[in-house]
């Protein structure tokens, strides 16, 4: 059976199979080689993720070690505590500990599985004010780019500490002029172009971990390998 | 763990997670309720599908009965035998028997799994001549709409005979003026609008089989159900 790649994260993951989404693009890329399994939970932070991890992943006795797990949390943890998304806020130090605990859980369950942490994306505060999630008359965004950056930095620190891979999406996206509206649809979630950045980064990081179309066997004979003069020969085994 | 919906078919299935694809749209629709598992094999006909069925689906002892399986073959079987895709051709009577055998295999393995057959789409012969798969100087398309229609009819007959559901995509698509270029990108494969037709038909048929967002439990608490004043209460069990 095909190996699996899990996408574990918040709404940016849950929405990743919508039009132009990075999850669908991954599934399409690996259409004959790996199953991309969607485990995105809108609104979740690392505190909640830690509570549900045993229900998200298959039990150890299933013997079904994934090829890779993407862990993509932080955008909700970084909500400012005193503003309208404050109930999703997780203090920076706890965020770090929670991520360490999630990585430790995955490493213990599946020592051979590649783990890739993804930092929260940057925040366009203007976009957040234009597209508020709640009725809010404060005139202040519930997330800031500076806060997201602090969480991104801790995410990278966890990856270094735990010896796993990471994608610095916060920094990467900001290298492109116009990232605010070009990559973010509402100051937080991704446009089609923003999704492309995530897809390219994930593919690149997986390749560094020796997970690519070159290394993974195709599931069943490809049409190009089937002899038109004797097609059934390809299906003899 | 989440239930699964398998998509078993040819290139129209293998490509269904590309931008605007019907498979990705299904995965997005069921993003918190079911895993959509891609088992599309470009170029395959029912003869080859029958050979590989044991490798495509999990073994019976896994106990992992899918919610539903889409079986979407016929576009390659209907290739004309004397033209350039002739090696993919399967005679009409054998196509019918093969489909019956695939349904019987699935029913025996998982009696409770809903099976939905999808007929081949219509063929735009002009589109096939504009976008040939092979160098071919005959000036004749390797598929015709009439042949696709004969296979579609047999597909529906199999569904009736076996007591499973079916989507008459061949007929459905032709109800819309301009289907030739509006729904087909090369006379055979689907445009984004063609993919939307498949998605809507599949969702509708699944709903008739009691498989919908209303009947499937969400995997883990939805953000709207989490009490902002006491979020962890939702995670106590």
């Amino acid at each position: 059976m095909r190996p699996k790649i899990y996408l574990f994260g918040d709404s940016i993951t849950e929405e990743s199979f919508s039009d132009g989404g990075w999850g669908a693009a991954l599934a399409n890329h690996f259409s004959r080689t790996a199953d991309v399994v969607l485990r995105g939970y809108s609104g979740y932070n690392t505190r909640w993720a830690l509570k549900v991890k045993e229900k998200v992943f298959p039990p150890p006795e299933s013997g079904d070690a994934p090829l890779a797990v993407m862990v993509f949390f932080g955008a909700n943890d970084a909500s400012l505590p005193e503003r309208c998304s404050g109930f999703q806020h997780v203090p920076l130090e706890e965020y770090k500990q929670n991520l360490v605990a999630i990585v430790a859980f995955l490493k213990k369950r599946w020592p051979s599985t590649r783990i890739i942490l993804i930092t929260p994306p940057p925040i366009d505060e203007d976009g957040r004010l234009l597209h508020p999630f709640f009725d809010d008359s404060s005139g202040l965004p519930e997330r800031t780019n500076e806060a997201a950056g602090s969480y991104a930095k801790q995410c990278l620190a966890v990856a270094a500490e735990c010896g796993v891979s990471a994608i610095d999406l916060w920094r990467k996206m900001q290298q492109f002029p116009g990232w605010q509206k070009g990559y973010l649809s509402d100051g937080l979630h991704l446009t089609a172009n923003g999704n492309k950045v995530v897809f390219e980064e994930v593919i690149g990081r997986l390749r560094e971990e020796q997970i690519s179309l070159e290394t993974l066997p195709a599931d069943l004979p490809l049409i190009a390998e089937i002899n038109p003069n004797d097609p059934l020969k390809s299906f003899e085994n």
Side-chain angles (χ1 to χ4, degrees), chain A residues 79-90 142:
Chain A
S79 300
L80 300 182
E82 305 300 331
R83 298 192 186 163
C84 64
S85 288
F87 74 105
Q88 293 166 286
H89 169 77
V90 170
E142 87 295 351

Side-chain angles (χ1 to χ4, degrees), chain A residues 57-199:
Chain A
F57 295 100
E61 62 271 19
S62 75
D64 202 8
L67 271 183
V69 179
M70 310 291 136
V71 179
F72 190 177
F73 286 102
N76 295 314
D77 301 64
S79 300
L80 300 182
E82 305 300 331
R83 298 192 186 163
C84 64
S85 288
F87 74 105
Q88 293 166 286
H89 169 77
V90 170
L92 190 57
E93 185 54 35
E94 185 193 333
Y95 168 72
K96 188 177 175 181
Q97 290 166 3
N98 291 343
L99 265 190
V100 168
I102 291 168
V103 172
F105 163 80
L106 292 169
K107 277 189 160 188
K108 186 175 175 203
R109 181 153 297 185
W110 299 301
S112 66
T113 295
R114 312 318 298 174
I115 300 166
I116 299 175
L117 305 186
I118 308 177
T119 75
I123 294 293
D124 169 36
E125 291 157 32
D126 175 61
R128 292 303 314 121
L129 289 172
L130 288 167
H131 304 280
F133 297 142
F134 305 100
D135 270 338
D136 177 26
S137 57
S138 71
L140 298 168
E142 87 295 351
R143 287 165 171 82
T144 64
N145 195 37
E146 188 187 352
S150 303
Y151 285 73
K153 198 173 159 188
Q154 286 306 313
C155 178
L156 300 178
V158 170
E161 194 177 309
C162 299
V164 301
S165 194
I167 294 169
D168 188 354
L169 192 63
W170 187 79
R171 197 182 59 84
K172 181 82 195 172
M173 284 194 155
Q174 293 183 80
Q175 291 171 347
F176 296 84
W179 60 269
Q180 293 91 337
K181 303 293 185 277
Y183 289 160
L184 303 171
S185 60
D186 60 2
L188 166 62
H189 295 97
L190 308 177
T191 60
N193 282 332
N195 271 291
K196 279 205 186 79
V197 175
V198 178
F199 168 68

Side-chain angles (χ1 to χ4, degrees), chain A residues 197-216:
Chain A
V197 175
V198 178
F199 168 68
E200 292 295 343
E201 289 292 313
V202 169
I203 289 291
R205 210 49 55 97
L206 286 171
R207 181 179 298 279
E208 287 172 15
E209 303 279 355
Q210 311 304 321
I211 298 170
S212 73
L213 297 185
E214 287 73 43
T215 61
L216 297 172

